[in-house]
Amino acid sequence: MIDRSVIGKSWPVKAIVPEEGALRFFAKATGETNPIYSDLKAARSAGYPHLPVPPTYLFSLEMLAPSDSFWLDDLGLPLEKILHAEQSFEYRNMVYAGEKLTIETRISDAYEKKGGLLEFYVREMTIRNSNGTECAILKTTLVVRHG
Amino acid sequence: MAENVKQLAVGDRLPPHLIGPITRTTLALFAGASGDHNPIHLDIDFAKKSGLDDVFAHGMLSMAYLAQLITRWVPQSQIRSWEARFTSITPVGAIVECSGHVTEIFEADGEKRARLEITSSVQGGAVTLAGFAEVAIK
């Protein structure tokens, strides 16, 4: 049986500043050709204050932020049995290179299917800027495959 | 692009977005850039130990490509929400094909919005991600 007491588990708030160079690296790695994501001049002439943090890079922030813990280890979930099942993003405000961001993470759901052969964990992350304004809410559903 | 969006109708297709082929270098770069260092995408020995024949692409790489499908159609600031289910893995060597179409046009929070159905797939093969997006139309 899945341990549903993990629902509500949260982690210390993480802080990260998405850096211009890191965003340029992400643009290269994803084959992004739109210059607003890698060229500050292009971003500014398109009306942005800095390089925009691209839609899915918000998911990376949690993994790139310095931390002593790894949430899958904290939940005791074996990496080799895990698959990313679903991912959602809800945007409230755009985020740009150089902004001080915080990430709040908690487990919002845990359930099983197929008599426990599949365990699902839903992690919710809230990303805020330095004013405390909510910028994005991300939900990650992972599946652990047993047997 | 903006003009097309203004006159948009249910059933309209987004210009398809093709990327690839995905190489091992693509996966190494994406691991570094995204912070996802899971060896299942990088280390063939680890993949074999996990019962697979080879490494496979990060699901979030295809989701980044899907984001590009949308941001080539409307500016990023107009994406309100979106989600995708990871339905199958993307092998090394795959060309990823992203496509989408408008399923609904509606008003919400005082603005006109479009609901999109979006998918990524291995060219000539299986759907890898399937999802929805809600974007503002300006």
Side-chain angles (χ1 to χ4, degrees):
Chain A
M1 287 289 285
I2 191 167
D3 176 12
R4 289 177 53 88
S5 72
V6 298
I7 298 171
K9 179 176 171 58
S10 61
W11 281 266
V13 173
K14 291 186 180 184
I16 187 166
V17 177
E19 285 164 14
E20 191 183 333
L23 293 182
R24 220 177 269 126
F25 181 25
F26 189 79
K28 178 186 176 178
T30 55
E32 177 60 81
T33 52
N34 185 343
I36 66 155
Y37 293 107
S38 52
D39 177 357
L40 188 51
K41 267 190 195 158
R44 290 210 166 124
S45 50
Y48 299 111
H50 209 313
L51 298 186
V53 170
T56 64
Y57 193 76
L58 293 166
F59 177 85
S60 285
L61 292 174
E62 191 271 340
M63 293 181 286
L64 295 164
S67 171
D68 298 329
S69 67
F70 180 45
W71 70 291
L72 299 178
D73 287 344
D74 294 343
L75 292 175
L77 302 182
L79 204 54
E80 67 279 4
K81 289 186 177 176
I82 292 175
L83 281 178
H84 198 166
E86 287 174 37
Q87 181 62 43
S88 74
F89 294 87
E90 202 184 304
Y91 305 105
R92 305 274 165 83
N93 284 285
M94 288 278 286
V95 174
Y96 300 93
E99 284 197 75
K100 282 185 185 167
L101 304 175
T102 60
I103 309 166
E104 204 178 299
T105 304
R106 67 181 192 96
I107 300 298
S108 59
D109 203 2
Y111 53 92
E112 59 185 20
K113 287 185 184 173
K114 295 192 180 173
L117 278 180
L118 300 175
E119 286 180 3
F120 293 82
Y121 295 86
V122 183
R123 175 189 64 170
E124 195 173 303
M125 294 198 290
T126 305
I127 297 178
R128 292 187 177 84
N129 62 21
S130 57
N131 302 324
T133 307
E134 274 184 15
C135 297
I137 296 163
L138 284 65
K139 281 185 191 159
T140 304
T141 306
L142 289 187
V143 57
V144 184
R145 299 164 303 159
H146 296 289
Chain B
M1 181 176 75
E3 280 308 305
N4 293 342
V5 168
K6 271 180 203 158
Q7 293 153 25
L8 126 136
V10 168
D12 281 1
R13 299 199 163 270
L14 279 66
H17 181 42
L18 241 78
I19 318 93
I22 291 185
T23 64
R24 293 171 202 281
T25 303
T26 313
L27 302 185
L29 289 175
F30 187 73
S34 72
D36 183 346
H37 303 160
N38 187 337
I40 203 82
H41 304 300
L42 297 169
D43 182 341
I44 194 166
D45 301 329
F46 183 90
K48 285 186 171 163
K49 219 169 59 188
S50 306
L52 301 168
D53 293 331
D54 200 353
V55 298
F56 60 94
H58 304 76
M60 287 306 291
L61 175 60
S62 290
M63 201 160 182
Y65 295 151
L66 267 181
Q68 293 170 359
L69 170 82
I70 304 172
T71 58
R72 274 162 172 68
W73 195 63
V74 292
Q76 184 181 334
S77 56
Q78 287 171 226
I79 308 176
R80 296 289 172 260
S81 63
W82 67 305
E83 60 184 83
R85 273 181 307 113
F86 299 86
T87 55
S88 64
I89 63 168
T90 303
V92 173
I95 291 176
V96 177
E97 195 169 359
C98 298
S99 58
H101 65 274
V102 178
T103 58
E104 196 187 342
I105 296 168
F106 61 102
E107 302 254 338
D109 297 330
E111 63 181 12
K112 197 172 167 188
R113 288 190 188 169
R115 188 171 164 85
L116 313 175
E117 199 177 302
I118 48 176
T119 57
S120 67
S121 50
V122 173
Q123 198 181 30
V127 169
T128 52
L129 273 79
F132 301 93
E134 218 177 283
V135 302
I137 309 296
K138 303 215 163 142

